[in-house]
């Protein structure tokens, strides 16, 4: 049986003016084994930006913080896959 397995490594709650609470998390892909196992995702996404796999936990956290610091309130939509 094929399946995917993830471990939630960190969870965050950001208060974004004009949007309200934005939940986010950094996860590590356990199965299948991949080279860039860390991924962040958020409850709201905006145009032109999507979660990305990274090689380290620090990189994933830095990308998530950058995403929140540059949040585009005008195009933000709830992310259905969160």
């Amino acid at each position: 049986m094929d399946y995917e397995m993830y471990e939630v490594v960190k969870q965050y709650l950001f208060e974004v003016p004009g949007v309200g609470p934005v939940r986010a998390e950094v996860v590590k892909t356990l199965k299948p084994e991949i080279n860039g196992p860390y991924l962040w995702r958020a409850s709201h996404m905006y145009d032109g930006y999507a979660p990305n796999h990274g090689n380290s936990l620090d990189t994933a956290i830095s990308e998530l913080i950058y995403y929140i610091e540059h949040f585009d309130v005008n195009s933000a939509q709830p992310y259905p896959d969160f």
Side-chain angles (χ1 to χ4, degrees), residues 6-61:
Y6 303 92
E7 174 185 13
V8 176
V9 180
K10 289 196 166 270
Q11 293 182 317
Y12 297 91
L13 178 61
F14 300 97
E15 288 293 332
V16 178
V19 175
V22 175
R23 295 175 292 121
E25 60 190 19
V26 176
V27 299
K28 181 179 181 183
T29 305
L30 300 177
K31 185 173 173 42
E33 291 185 26
I34 59 174
N35 287 337
Y38 291 94
L39 165 73
W40 66 265
R41 54 188 176 196
S43 62
H44 291 70
M45 301 302 292
Y46 58 84
D47 288 344
Y49 215 96
N52 192 2
H53 282 277
N55 290 329
S56 74
L57 176 59
D58 290 339
T59 299
I61 292 170

